[in-house]
Amino acid sequence: MGVKGKLIASKEVKCGEHLIHDLFLTNSHHIPYISPSKINRIDINEGEIGKIGTIMNCRYNEDGQEKIVKYVIEAIDHHKNSISRKVIEGDLLEFYSSFTFVSYCQHQWATWTIEYEKKNEDTPEPLIFLGFILDMTKDIEAHLLKK
């Protein structure tokens, strides 16, 4: 059994936390246009947009390299504006036995929680992925503030 960890980061958002949640939940296919340097493509593999059990595939750029992550939406809480995603395939699973990332958007804060289990002790914490998510959130906020 590997080493388990949890990272949490928050960013203040001035555009309205519900707008960010709604974008992630029902309009995630727009994110590549909003944050093109970070997200190349988001597709639905199975299910319906905005539904628990939907499997999505995302091609993204991390440290100048294209990466792939396939995840299932495990939980949606409309009251907390949260979405829980469990990684089921892709580059992250080369280093981590399990990887879940959750977005919460409340009280003018976008918060990301990453829970993971490393395959071995030498594997670094996923700080680059966390930074990538925060940068993408900044791009989304800037886009929503323009509207």
Side-chain angles (χ1 to χ4, degrees):
M1 191 171 210
V3 177
K4 293 182 179 183
K6 181 189 261 190
L7 297 173
I8 301 171
S10 296
K11 183 205 175 312
E12 183 180 24
V13 291
K14 295 179 170 87
C15 61
E17 60 274 357
H18 65 285
L19 294 175
I20 290 177
H21 173 72
D22 289 345
L23 183 71
F24 284 132
L25 186 62
T26 61
N27 290 304
S28 56
H29 58 284
H30 290 294
I31 296 173
Y33 304 105
I34 296 168
S35 189
S37 65
K38 291 159 193 71
I39 303 289
N40 298 331
R41 185 178 179 108
I42 298 176
D43 297 308
I44 295 176
N45 286 43
E46 279 181 40
E48 294 179 45
I49 198 157
K51 303 286 183 185
I52 293 171
T54 298
I55 297 174
M56 304 195 65
N57 190 55
C58 177
R59 294 182 177 272
Y60 65 99
N61 298 310
E62 182 182 271
D63 267 359
Q65 294 184 333
E66 184 176 80
K67 306 278 185 168
I68 297 172
V69 63
K70 189 176 195 178
Y71 58 87
V72 61
I73 297 177
E74 285 193 311
I76 299 168
D77 185 329
H78 295 289
H79 179 68
K80 293 181 180 178
N81 289 332
S82 72
I83 306 168
S84 177
R85 306 156 185 89
K86 179 180 180 179
V87 175
I88 56 174
E89 286 182 29
D91 294 292
L92 290 167
L93 294 184
E94 290 178 25
F95 305 101
Y96 306 98
S97 303
S98 65
F99 199 96
T100 302
F101 57 108
V102 180
S103 58
Y104 302 90
C105 299
Q106 286 190 312
H107 310 292
Q108 295 187 310
W109 289 94
T111 301
W112 289 92
T113 301
I114 298 174
E115 292 188 45
Y116 56 92
E117 182 175 346
K118 298 179 184 185
K119 286 192 173 179
N120 63 60
E121 290 184 24
D122 297 331
T123 300
E125 279 67 29
L127 295 171
I128 294 172
F129 186 78
L130 182 61
F132 154 78
I133 288 175
L134 291 172
D135 287 344
M136 179 188 63
T137 303
K138 289 177 194 174
D139 290 349
I140 290 169
E141 177 191 27
H143 171 79
L144 293 171
L145 285 171
K146 286 182 199 174
K147 288 188 165 193

